[in-house]
Amino acid sequence: MILSDADLTALYLTLKLALASTIILLALGTPFAWWLARTRWRYKFFIEALIALPLVLPPTVLGFYLLLLLGANGPLTAIGAAPLAFTFSGLVIGSVIYSMPFVIQPLHDAFQAIGKRPLEVAATLRASPWNRFLTIALPLARPGFITASVLGFAHTIGEFGVVLMIGGNIPGQTQVLSIAIYDHVESLDYASAHWLSGGLIVLSFIMLVLVYASNRRFRVFKI
Amino acid sequence: MSLDISFNLQREDFAMHVELILPETGVTAIFGPSGSGKTTLLRAIAGLENIPDSKVMFKGQCWQSNSSFVPTHLRPIGYVFQEPSLFPHLTIRQNLEYGLSRVAEKDRRVSLDNAVELLDIGHLLKRQPHTLSGGEQQRVAIARALALSPLLLLMDEPLSSLDNKLKQEILPYLETLHRELTIPVLYVSHATDEVARLADTLVILKAGEILGSGPIQDMLTRLDLPLSHRHDAETLIHGTVINTDPEFGLTSMTCGDLVFTVPGNTLAPGTNTRLRIAAHDVSLTLEKQTGTSIQNIFPATVVELQTENHAQIMVKLQLEDIPLLARLTRKSVEELAIKPGIQVYAQIKSVAVLA
C-alpha cells in the first residue's frame, strides 16, 4: 500500500468532514436562501454581506475567532457547553461557516431565477405555499442544488487555514488531507505528498466530470 | 349576483377605483388599453394581488374584505396567464394533473378527458412543454385551468403572446368553451376582435376607472363610449340560422323579426351565431331602394348622432330593438336632413358571420 494508515485515516476524515458540512449546509442553506431570494426586506444586503465575508477574509481570521469562541475558555464553555476546539465537531462548525457562501449563493441564484410566475401558477392550481415550495421551487432549482453541493463539498475538502486554527493536527481526529500533505512536505517526504496531492487532483476532477456529464446545465462559474 | 367587487387603490403612479357587479353566466370581457388596470383587477380577484381596502364577494362567499383575505390556492378559480407558463419539469399530462389532483373528488365536474378533448391536446400528453408550439402550450394552459372545474375562470389576455395565425387557431376553442361550458369567464383583453367574438358583457376600463359596463351590443354602440368611435366601429347581432341556399351559397338568419342574408352555407339550421356589421358598411336612404344589389335592407329609426370629425358623423339607429351604427359623411347627413326620430332605411353592404 502506497498510502500509510495515517494518510488513509486523513482521507476518511476529510470525506466525512466534507459530507457532514455539505449536508448541514444544504439543510440550513435551503430555507435561508429561499428567504433571501423572496424577501423584500430592505436591509437584506447586510445579511448578504455577512454571508460573503468568508470569501474575502483570510481563513486564519475566521479560525482565530472560532478558536476563541469554541475554546476551553470561550463564552460557549462559560455557559456550560463542552469545548469544541480541536474536535471533529469543531471542524464541522468551522467548515460550515467557511463554505457557507459557496452553498447559499448558487441556491439563492437558482431560487431567484425561478421568478414569481411558476409559483403564482401553482397557487392558482390550488397548491399551498409549502406544497408550491416542494413541487415547484425545489425541482426547478435542481441545477442550483447540484452546484451548491459540489462547491460546498469541494471547498471543504480544500480548506486548510480554518482547520489548522481550530482543529489543529491530531491524527484520527482533526488531521485532514490538506494538513497531512503539509506535514509530508514539512518533513520532506515528497513521495507521500505527491500521492496525496495527485490523488486529490484526480478525485476532484472525476467528481466534476461526473457532475458535468449528468447535468449539462450545471455550471460552477456563471458566464 | 355572481361576483361583487370593489377596489380602491391610490399609488403615486396609478389609481384605481372600481365598483362592479358581474353576471352569473357568460363571458365578461374587461376591455381597455394597456395601463388601464385590467390585469391588476384580475390578479386582485384571484388573490395574487392584495389591494388594501377592497372587497371581493363571489356567490355569497367573501374572498376579501377589510378583515379577511382568502389566499389564491383556496379560491375556486381557474387562471390563464398571458404566457402559457407550463411547468418545465413536468410532462403535459403531469401539468394537467397538477391542479386536478388537488381538487376534491366531489368538486370535479370537468374531467381531464373533457378538458383534453375540448382543446384537442390528446396527442401531446406525453411530451415535454418546451417541445410544443406557443399555441399548443397555451391550449394546454387553458385545459389545465379547466380541469380544476373552476367556479370562475379568469383569463388574462391569453392570446396576446401569440401571433395572429396562432390566435386564429385558438379562438375557435375559446368559442367552443363559451358554448359548451357554463363556467362564468372573466376575460381581460385589449383586442376588439377577441371581445366581439367571445364576450357577452363588456366592462370598459380606462386609467383605473370604469367608463361603462353592460351587454356587449350596447357597449359597442354607445356613442358616449370610445368603442363606437374606432375606425372599425361595429355592431354585433345575435342571429339564428333558419335555412341555407346551396344554389347561391347563402344563409338566412333571424334576429327577432329581421331576416339577414349572409354569405356561406356551412351552418346547420338552428345554430346560434354572431353577426358583425361594420359602421362603414351601413348606408341610409330615405325611401326604400329597388333595383339595388344590396341584400340586407331594413327600416330603422335614427336615435342619436355624434360628430366625429369635420367630415364624418356616427349615426346610431334602432332596427326594432337592435342598435346599429352607421358612419356617414357630414354632407350626406345635411343633405338628407337626418336627425333623431326620423325613419330611414338602413342598407347593409356586408355582414360578417363570427364563427
Side-chain angles (χ1 to χ4, degrees):
Chain A
M1 192 63 201
I2 298 145
L3 296 177
S4 68
D5 281 354
D7 288 344
L8 282 176
T9 309
L11 174 65
Y12 165 73
L13 258 187
T14 306
L15 293 178
K16 192 169 118 181
L17 176 66
L19 195 67
S21 306
T22 308
I23 289 170
I24 292 173
L25 273 171
L26 287 176
L28 295 178
T30 303
F32 192 62
W34 176 251
W35 172 77
L36 265 184
R38 309 280 298 170
T39 185
R40 289 186 203 156
W41 187 47
R42 54 195 289 210
Y43 297 114
K44 79 165 183 176
F45 57 86
F46 276 114
I47 307 281
E48 290 173 317
L50 196 64
I51 292 170
L53 264 186
L55 290 175
V56 294
L57 283 178
T60 40
V61 170
L62 204 63
F64 173 58
Y65 282 112
L66 278 170
L67 181 64
L68 294 186
L69 187 72
L70 303 174
N73 301 316
L76 291 184
T77 319
I79 58 168
L84 291 172
F86 307 112
T87 66
F88 183 75
S89 306
L91 276 193
V92 172
I93 293 175
S95 303
V96 163
I97 293 172
Y98 186 48
S99 298
M100 180 137 356
F102 293 85
V103 172
I104 299 275
Q105 196 59 47
L107 291 182
H108 175 265
D109 291 350
F111 285 141
Q112 204 147 52
I114 295 172
K116 255 168 55 179
R117 183 47 58 82
L119 297 158
E120 285 186 349
V121 173
T124 68
L125 294 170
R126 314 284 161 84
S128 65
W130 177 236
N131 201 234
R132 301 200 279 273
F133 177 72
L134 290 180
T135 59
I136 304 298
L138 286 188
L140 289 182
R142 197 181 83 127
F145 275 93
I146 294 174
T147 308
S149 308
V150 172
L151 286 185
F153 193 85
H155 192 247
T156 307
I157 287 184
E159 87 177 61
F160 180 80
V162 176
V163 172
L164 197 63
M165 292 297 278
I166 61 169
N169 190 359
I170 309 168
Q173 277 185 51
T174 61
Q175 191 191 59
V176 295
L177 271 187
S178 55
I179 296 189
I181 293 168
Y182 180 74
D183 262 6
H184 287 313
V185 174
E186 285 283 272
S187 57
L188 300 179
D189 181 1
Y190 281 15
S192 297
H194 264 309
W195 278 110
L196 285 183
S197 304
L200 207 54
I201 290 175
V202 173
L203 178 78
S204 306
F205 185 67
I206 290 174
M207 204 162 70
L208 289 173
V209 164
L210 283 178
V211 170
Y212 273 110
S214 70
N215 189 342
R216 297 293 167 91
R217 285 178 296 172
F218 166 76
R219 293 288 179 271
V220 173
F221 303 106
K222 283 200 294 185
I223 300 164
Chain B
M1 271 306 160
S2 162
L3 186 66
D4 182 352
I5 53 179
S6 101
F7 294 113
N8 285 294
L9 180 66
Q10 191 72 53
R11 283 191 204 143
E12 256 172 59
D13 51 341
F14 182 70
M16 185 155 88
H17 303 283
V18 169
E19 305 261 344
L20 206 53
I21 293 178
L22 294 171
E24 192 102 16
T25 55
V27 175
T28 302
I30 300 173
F31 178 86
S34 48
S36 57
K38 351 182 251 307
T39 295
T40 307
L41 186 64
L42 205 67
R43 288 175 58 83
I45 293 169
L48 294 171
E49 205 93 37
N50 187 347
I51 301 180
D53 190 21
S54 306
K55 182 188 73 174
V56 182
M57 295 279 292
F58 179 75
K59 293 194 171 159
Q61 302 170 353
C62 180
W63 286 356
Q64 181 172 3
S65 70
N66 287 335
S67 58
S68 66
F69 183 83
V70 176
T72 301
H73 69 281
L74 299 177
R75 300 188 186 195
I77 54 161
Y79 200 108
V80 179
F81 291 82
Q82 250 178 60
E83 323 80 44
S85 314
L86 301 182
F87 299 130
H89 61 300
L90 302 178
T91 63
I92 298 306
R93 176 181 285 282
Q94 288 168 331
N95 263 281
L96 293 169
E97 285 170 347
Y98 187 92
L100 181 68
S101 65
R102 288 166 172 78
V103 175
E105 296 269 1
K106 67 175 171 52
D107 294 329
R108 296 183 190 172
R109 282 162 289 102
V110 181
S111 73
L112 190 61
D113 292 345
N114 260 176
V116 165
E117 194 187 324
L118 271 171
L119 288 133
D120 192 19
I121 51 173
H123 55 295
L124 303 172
L125 293 180
K126 291 194 179 120
R127 311 237 315 248
Q128 293 290 326
H130 70 271
T131 65
L132 271 57
S133 73
E136 288 170 334
Q137 289 191 28
Q138 194 58 294
R139 269 152 60 197
V140 173
I142 295 169
R144 184 173 66 176
L146 276 181
L148 294 165
S149 307
L151 299 180
L152 176 67
L153 184 58
L154 306 169
M155 304 181 102
D156 184 8
E157 309 213 35
L159 304 182
S160 70
S161 65
L162 306 174
D163 61 34
N164 199 43
K165 188 167 152 277
L166 285 175
K167 199 168 150 174
Q168 297 310 322
E169 179 190 312
I170 293 195
L171 263 170
Y173 292 107
L174 293 180
E175 281 166 336
T176 313
L177 295 186
H178 182 194
R179 272 198 305 274
E180 298 194 5
L181 297 178
T182 51
I183 302 170
V185 178
L186 268 184
Y187 190 100
V188 161
S189 179
H190 69 273
T192 45
D193 57 328
E194 288 169 36
V195 166
R197 286 176 69 161
L198 297 171
D200 304 302
T201 305
L202 199 58
V203 176
I204 303 175
L205 208 60
K206 193 180 174 188
E209 307 277 348
I210 292 175
L211 292 185
S213 72
I216 180 147
Q217 291 104 316
D218 299 353
M219 292 297 106
L220 286 175
T221 53
R222 258 175 60 181
L223 295 187
D224 60 331
L225 294 178
L227 280 173
S228 62
H229 298 294
R230 292 170 302 126
H231 73 278
D232 54 351
E234 66 201 353
T235 308
L236 270 191
I237 292 172
H238 291 285
T240 307
V241 175
I242 324 171
N243 57 44
T244 54
D245 174 355
E247 191 192 340
F248 288 107
L250 294 174
T251 301
S252 298
M253 309 225 188
T254 55
C255 176
D257 292 335
L258 305 174
V259 176
F260 289 85
T261 306
V262 301
N265 61 352
T266 53
L267 294 171
T271 310
N272 289 315
T273 182
R274 292 177 174 204
L275 305 177
R276 177 158 68 181
I277 298 167
H280 58 71
D281 282 334
V282 179
S283 59
L284 303 184
T285 57
L286 294 178
E287 273 114 45
K288 184 161 186 177
Q289 295 284 298
T290 52
T292 166
S293 64
I294 292 176
Q295 291 284 330
N296 296 300
I297 301 179
F298 304 102
T301 311
V302 176
V303 182
E304 194 182 348
L305 284 80
Q306 193 165 77
T307 305
E308 298 203 297
N309 52 47
H310 192 60
Q312 289 178 307
I313 290 182
M314 187 61 84
V315 179
K316 184 176 178 179
L317 307 161
Q318 195 84 21
L319 277 63
E320 300 195 351
D321 55 353
I322 306 166
L324 182 72
L325 293 181
R327 179 171 276 143
L328 306 181
T329 59
R330 197 163 59 90
K331 187 165 181 242
S332 314
V333 170
E334 280 194 10
E335 282 176 4
L336 301 182
I338 290 171
K339 54 180 186 291
I342 68 164
Q343 298 292 316
V344 293
Y345 286 89
Q347 306 195 122
I348 302 168
K349 206 172 116 197
S350 144
V351 180
V353 179
L354 296 178

